């Protein structure tokens, strides 16, 4: 039994969407989230990425600092 894992990938990332899907599936308890952008998505779309992580961890209202 594996731990729940969140795989986040940008739709134009270096990692292909097909490979990201394979990673999530191979984990057994993997969840795939595809967000706009490329490899710097955690920086360029910080609010969306943080919201995904917060939801995955069960945090209802994440606090955001900075832009994104």
């Amino acid at each position: 039994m594996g731990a729940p894992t969140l795989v986040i990938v940008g739709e134009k990332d270096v990692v292909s969407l097909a490979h990201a899907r394979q990673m999530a599936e191979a984990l057994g308890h993997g969840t795939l989230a595809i967000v706009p952008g490329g490899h710097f998505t955690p920086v360029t779309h910080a609010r969306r990425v943080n919201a995904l992580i917060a939801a995955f961890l069960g945090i209802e209202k994440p606090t955001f600092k900075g832009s994104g």
Side-chain angles (χ1 to χ4, degrees):
M1 183 151 117
T5 305
L6 178 61
V7 177
I8 301 175
V9 64
E11 63 187 356
K12 296 178 183 173
D13 207 325
V14 174
V15 176
S16 71
L17 297 179
H19 189 202
R21 283 187 190 94
Q22 289 174 340
M23 285 190 287
E25 290 171 8
L27 290 166
H29 296 333
T31 299
L32 177 62
I34 302 170
V35 294
H39 197 65
F40 294 102
T41 295
V43 175
T44 60
H45 293 81
R47 287 184 183 269
R48 182 171 288 186
V49 171
N50 287 344
L52 286 167
I53 294 169
F56 181 77
L57 295 175
I59 299 169
E60 288 186 34
K61 205 169 189 182
T63 302
F64 299 105
K65 293 182 180 181
S67 62

